[in-house]
Amino acid sequence: MAENRPLDFSCLTSREVEALLLLASGEQNRRLARHLGIAERTIRAHTASIVRKHRLKSRFEAAIVTHLHADDIRQLETTQRSAA
């Protein structure tokens, strides 16, 4: 998992951050997309981007990372919202 490198969540877009936080719920892409009001294809693209940017191996690993770093990710989400 991420080869013991510190994870920089600031490289994620605000939508990717939202998707990442929802990934931890374990819900199917269809439900995540519905929750965000986007197409299922878009949630798959966000997930693929998250996995690629953090050199993770899978969506499941991204969900685990979210659990481990939830406070940092939520803080970033708050910062991104206030900057918008």
Side-chain angles (χ1 to χ4, degrees):
M1 186 180 340
E3 297 129 21
N4 294 326
R5 297 176 280 106
L7 295 172
D8 179 15
F9 296 103
S10 66
C11 69
L12 301 177
T13 67
S14 58
R15 278 308 236 185
E16 288 170 344
V17 170
E18 288 178 288
L20 181 59
L21 287 169
L22 290 174
L23 277 175
S25 71
E27 291 289 342
Q28 295 177 344
N29 286 338
R30 181 176 294 148
R31 285 190 169 223
L32 300 181
R34 195 175 306 144
H35 181 82
L36 292 174
I38 59 179
E40 186 175 351
R41 181 176 173 176
T42 305
I43 197 72
R44 285 194 307 264
H46 287 324
T47 302
S49 180
I50 292 163
V51 168
R52 186 187 75 253
K53 286 179 180 180
H54 285 105
R55 296 181 185 160
L56 302 172
K57 293 182 175 98
S58 67
R59 178 184 195 273
F60 179 72
E61 191 172 8
I64 292 170
V65 165
T66 303
H67 276 292
L68 295 174
H69 299 279
D71 291 338
D72 295 335
I73 298 166
R74 284 192 187 96
Q75 184 177 11
L76 175 62
E77 181 184 39
T78 302
T79 303
Q80 287 177 336
R81 280 188 187 164
S82 64

